[in-house]
Amino acid sequence: MSGTYRRLLPYLLVLPGGLWLVVFFLLPAVQLVATSLYDPAGSLADGYAMTWAFGNYPDAIRAYWAHFGRSFGYAGLATALALLLGYPLAYVIALRAGRWQHLLLVCVVAPMFTSFLVRTLAWKAILADTGPVVGLLREVHLLAPDGRLLASPVAVVTSLTYGYLPFMVLPIYASLQRLDRRLLEAARDLNARPAQVFWTVTLPLSRPGVVAGTLLTVIPASGDYISAELLGTPRDYMIGNVIDAAFLVRLDYPQGAALSVLLLLVILVLTIGYLRRGAEEVG
Amino acid sequence: MESAQPGARLRLIELTKRFGGVTAVDQLDLTVAAGTYFALLGPSGCGKTTTLRMVAGLEEPTRGRILLDEEEITELRPYRRPVNTVFQSYALFPHLDVFENVAFGLRRRGVPDVTEQVRAMLSLVQLDGYDRRRPAQLSGGQQQRVALARALVNRPRVLLLDEPLGALDLTLRRRMQLELKRIQTEVGITFVHVTHDQEEAMTLADTVAVMNNGRIEQLGTPAELYEFPATAFVATFLGRSNLLSGTVVGRDGDDVLVEAYGQRFSVPVIRARRTAGAVLLGIRPEKLRLVGTVDEVPAGHQAVAGIVTDAAYLGTSTQYLIRTGWGGEFSVFVAADGEARPVPVGATVVAHWHPRYAFLLDGGTPGGTPAVPVDPAGAVPANGVGPR
């Protein structure tokens, strides 16, 4: 009796989570792939017929390859900016902040207490044509007198960078926090100047944090549609906006599903490639 | 940097370090001769590691100066000092293999071809063929060797070793001690070795400085320190000592006369750190002999009677604890020379010694506290303090 129980216990423990994954992840994913292969001639009102319409994929790529390109371009740029901003921030918090460490960490996370939508709208006010940023940039002639920031790629990338910055900072902070300070002393003792200590010891040892932060930023950023929707024009739309429209405006479910699956696959391939390379370098 | 003598003379002048209100190192004056093996010995918290870190440049002195030969390095950044450290934790770079760990310092200085130097150094520490291993794949002893090679390859004028053998087991530690000594003789660099292990310090060092509470209590060769300690702290930290607190009552030619626990003892004046007032009479356990009765004590020897309360057979010697008539404890080590008969616990014995082996220390002012807490009964059966 107790032997049987013991044998079953691990399965019982896995059951709730497993069910959750099956119902809310696996079934929808299967449904999504299935939908992407429905006959595009159908409609929500008349119903769809499963015709294994693999042609939906080339059609979707032909129609929206530019949006794919833009998505990964913006997301890549935003990730690079987040890394440039986030690494020094994480470094200061982890190694230099002393007793302010926890307060600063809360400050990094605090924006997440409000919804992404509200925060993106706030950028609309900050970057408004009559706002302080545009005013200053016009003043110093970095922007033409009629130049604007809103409704431009600059605004979209700014919003993406800002929105996912905490996901970059936190993993880098965690890996720097774990860093054995004695290694930094050893490097200093072994003739390394401060900059050399950073490039040869600190940075390589925080690589896992950089890898995690990059993925956590680039993946949601490439699927984002709120930033482009609120701060850009249709010329700045990303693949998320297209999928959004396919499902909710054009009601072209097969195409929306095909685009979603494509996005998933591209991200998966990029991620695996990136992790492989990262693993090789870390050894 | 290449000169006839690879090692430099290290001088510390009134070196002081305070952390907040705590004085870790207190006006330390010290000269380490070029090319010698020097040990800084003391219990944990005595300031020895802080001293080392100040020489390495990892800690800034509150006051004082540090000189290598005639060059002042007090203000130099660590990477500019011709000094390298073997850290207690080894602090090997986990993301680099053995070769790159050892090459680290050379590469940072922009040495163009490091292969030959690194290989030669790995060979010196007997790690040929381990180039491509990661530190995590090495045993503690091997990691220790990498740490040593990584520091030595830079040809520092002074090599600092911070409890380098602390993490190794006893057998390995013994082997590495011989190894360190061999390497130091081979490279001729000045070694400054910090340890709390008196045996390690005595095995390795040409000169030992015993440090306590941020100050140096005594400096000398291991034999000088052991045979004629300057303070009660040294007498008990470096080996064991039986200490009797007494009072000087007079002189008899070249001898100082001391009264302790109602008995008279004499100590040659050249063996006395103090010749008046309150004193501590010290005698090493192995300098004592045991006999059955007072009649058997040789002429000229001094004696204390007591009862054996414990006997520990250690192979090379037997260690006895004797409870004296006044309730104090005496340690006596009897060498296993094949002639000594075992003495059973409970036996009445007389421990005797020749006065030339005894030494006389400052016992503090009468009524004041002595340098170390002395058992009211007089004997301090203390060994080296700190973990083993």
Side-chain angles (χ1 to χ4, degrees):
Chain A
M1 176 65 198
S2 109
T4 319
Y5 177 73
R6 234 167 232 269
R7 250 185 310 113
L8 287 179
L9 186 62
Y11 299 99
L12 289 171
L13 286 174
V14 161
L15 200 62
L19 273 178
W20 178 275
L21 274 180
V22 167
V23 172
F24 292 103
F25 176 73
L26 194 60
L27 291 181
V30 170
Q31 180 60 43
L32 187 72
V33 174
T35 306
S36 75
L37 299 174
Y38 285 162
D39 180 2
S43 75
L44 207 53
D46 307 332
Y48 286 104
M50 170 54 102
T51 55
W52 303 99
F54 286 100
N56 288 344
Y57 283 87
D59 288 347
I61 294 172
R62 255 194 303 279
Y64 296 109
W65 61 270
H67 292 83
F68 267 109
R70 199 178 294 135
S71 281
F72 289 108
Y74 286 180
L77 203 56
T79 305
L81 287 172
L83 182 61
L84 283 177
L85 292 170
Y87 197 102
L89 183 61
Y91 183 90
V92 168
I93 296 176
L95 297 169
R96 295 275 185 274
R99 61 201 178 91
W100 299 102
Q101 205 176 82
H102 295 281
L103 184 71
L104 286 170
L105 265 188
V106 170
C107 290
V108 168
V109 184
M112 309 241 259
F113 295 160
T114 32
S115 97
F116 190 53
L117 203 63
V118 173
R119 284 184 282 145
T120 311
L121 280 170
W123 274 103
K124 212 164 178 162
I126 296 170
L127 300 177
D129 294 345
T130 52
V133 178
V134 169
L136 181 74
L137 290 179
R138 281 179 183 167
E139 199 65 44
V140 300
H141 299 290
L142 278 173
L143 213 58
D146 60 343
R148 46 188 318 219
L149 290 175
L150 268 190
S152 73
V154 175
V156 178
V157 172
T158 304
S159 164
L160 288 174
T161 307
Y162 162 79
Y164 298 106
L165 188 62
F167 298 106
M168 181 65 87
V169 173
L170 291 179
I172 297 177
Y173 163 80
S175 65
L176 284 173
Q177 236 273 322
R178 271 201 314 267
L179 187 71
D180 186 349
R181 314 288 171 92
R182 292 174 299 189
L183 296 177
L184 305 183
E185 285 194 340
R188 285 206 286 155
D189 185 70
L190 290 163
N191 308 315
R193 295 149 190 278
Q196 291 176 322
V197 174
F198 177 78
W199 290 109
T200 56
V201 181
T202 313
L203 187 60
L205 287 176
S206 59
R207 192 187 296 258
V210 173
V211 170
T214 308
L215 288 178
L216 286 177
T217 307
V218 80
I219 292 172
S222 34
D224 185 271
Y225 64 98
I226 294 177
S227 299
E229 172 86 41
L230 295 181
L231 300 171
T233 65
R235 275 179 293 111
D236 311 314
Y237 274 4
M238 298 165 68
I239 199 65
N241 302 92
V242 177
I243 294 171
D244 175 48
F247 278 115
L248 300 179
V249 181
R250 291 186 281 114
L251 301 180
D252 187 348
Y253 274 35
Q255 187 175 62
L259 288 169
S260 301
V261 173
L262 277 171
L263 180 63
L264 199 86
L265 287 177
V266 173
I267 289 176
L268 210 62
V269 167
L270 287 178
T271 305
I272 289 170
Y274 181 65
L275 284 179
R276 279 240 173 111
R277 249 197 71 208
E280 264 166 34
E281 281 175 32
V282 175
Chain B
M1 228 155 81
E2 291 295 323
S3 60
Q5 172 70 273
R9 182 188 59 181
L10 172 68
R11 274 183 78 197
L12 310 182
I13 301 167
E14 290 186 8
L15 198 63
T16 301
K17 178 69 185 180
R18 289 192 198 90
F19 294 104
V22 183
T23 303
V25 176
D26 194 4
Q27 302 201 29
L28 202 72
D29 283 302
L30 182 64
T31 301
V32 178
T36 58
Y37 204 123
F38 186 89
L40 208 49
L41 173 69
S44 35
C46 74
K48 56 192 194 300
T49 294
T50 306
T51 306
L52 206 69
R53 289 173 56 82
M54 285 193 281
V55 176
L58 298 172
E59 209 80 69
E60 206 177 317
T62 310
R63 247 165 48 76
R65 300 164 66 202
I66 304 166
L67 277 78
L68 281 187
D69 287 337
E70 300 311 320
E71 186 201 358
E72 171 139 13
I73 61 163
T74 320
E75 305 282 325
L76 284 188
R77 313 298 304 152
Y79 65 85
R80 290 196 185 282
R81 300 188 184 203
V83 168
N84 291 105
T85 309
V86 177
F87 293 90
Q88 182 171 16
S89 61
Y90 311 145
L92 300 179
F93 303 119
H95 59 299
L96 302 177
D97 60 23
V98 167
F99 184 95
E100 285 304 321
N101 261 284
V102 176
F104 190 91
L106 296 175
R107 290 209 197 280
R108 298 295 85 74
R109 279 189 289 135
V111 175
D113 187 27
V114 300
T115 314
E116 207 159 299
Q117 290 186 60
V118 172
R119 290 268 153 77
M121 201 43 71
L122 284 175
S123 178
L124 182 74
V125 297
Q126 303 178 351
L127 279 178
D128 307 84
Y130 282 82
D131 314 29
R132 294 300 159 206
R133 300 271 190 104
R134 293 279 172 142
Q137 296 170 298
L138 302 178
S139 70
Q142 290 166 340
Q143 291 183 27
Q144 212 281 329
R145 286 159 195 266
V146 176
L148 185 62
R150 185 179 69 169
L152 271 180
V153 77
N154 303 295
R155 300 275 158 199
R157 311 289 318 276
V158 174
L159 182 76
L160 307 173
L161 302 107
D162 184 9
E163 302 264 8
L165 309 180
L168 305 180
D169 64 55
L170 193 62
T171 327
L172 201 53
R173 204 184 314 162
R174 292 261 161 75
R175 218 169 68 210
M176 280 309 296
Q177 285 172 3
L178 299 177
E179 197 76 334
L180 277 175
K181 186 93 182 170
R182 171 182 70 84
I183 288 168
Q184 195 271 332
T185 316
E186 214 166 308
V187 297
I189 291 170
T190 312
F191 275 36
V192 179
H193 182 127
V194 156
T195 179
H196 65 261
D197 183 337
Q198 48 116 349
E199 196 184 307
E200 186 168 301
M202 292 177 77
T203 308
L204 287 169
D206 305 311
T207 312
V208 176
V210 180
M211 209 170 160
N212 188 31
N213 289 329
R215 291 173 161 277
I216 287 178
E217 296 253 336
Q218 191 178 0
L219 186 144
T221 66
E224 283 166 5
L225 263 59
Y226 189 83
E227 296 301 335
F228 190 23
T231 65
F233 178 82
V234 176
T236 52
F237 192 78
L238 209 71
R240 293 202 208 183
S241 292
N242 297 302
L243 296 179
L244 304 177
S245 45
T247 314
V248 174
V249 291
R251 280 286 283 272
D252 176 14
D254 288 337
D255 290 335
V256 181
L257 300 179
V258 177
E259 190 173 291
Y261 307 104
Q263 265 183 269
R264 278 284 175 101
F265 301 98
S266 76
V267 179
V269 70
I270 51 160
R271 302 272 300 160
R273 299 280 177 192
R274 193 172 183 191
T275 53
V279 289
L280 288 170
L281 189 154
I283 179 81
R284 296 284 188 185
E286 72 280 4
K287 301 292 196 299
L288 293 166
R289 298 278 176 274
L290 288 182
V291 291
T293 61
V294 181
D295 301 338
E296 298 170 57
V297 173
H301 279 221
Q302 316 213 298
V304 166
I307 295 166
V308 176
T309 57
D310 189 44
Y313 175 74
L314 297 180
T316 55
S317 71
T318 305
Q319 304 196 355
Y320 294 100
L321 267 186
I322 313 289
R323 182 160 291 274
T324 60
W326 62 83
E329 270 189 339
F330 252 61
S331 288
V332 180
F333 298 170
V334 178
D337 54 8
E339 281 170 32
R341 292 172 291 110
V343 183
V345 172
T348 306
V349 289
V350 176
H352 65 87
W353 66 90
H354 193 283
R356 71 168 175 266
Y357 294 128
F359 51 87
L360 218 50
L361 306 174
D362 189 340
T365 47
T369 43
V372 290
V374 173
D375 181 39
V380 182
N383 194 5
V385 187
R388 277 297 152 98

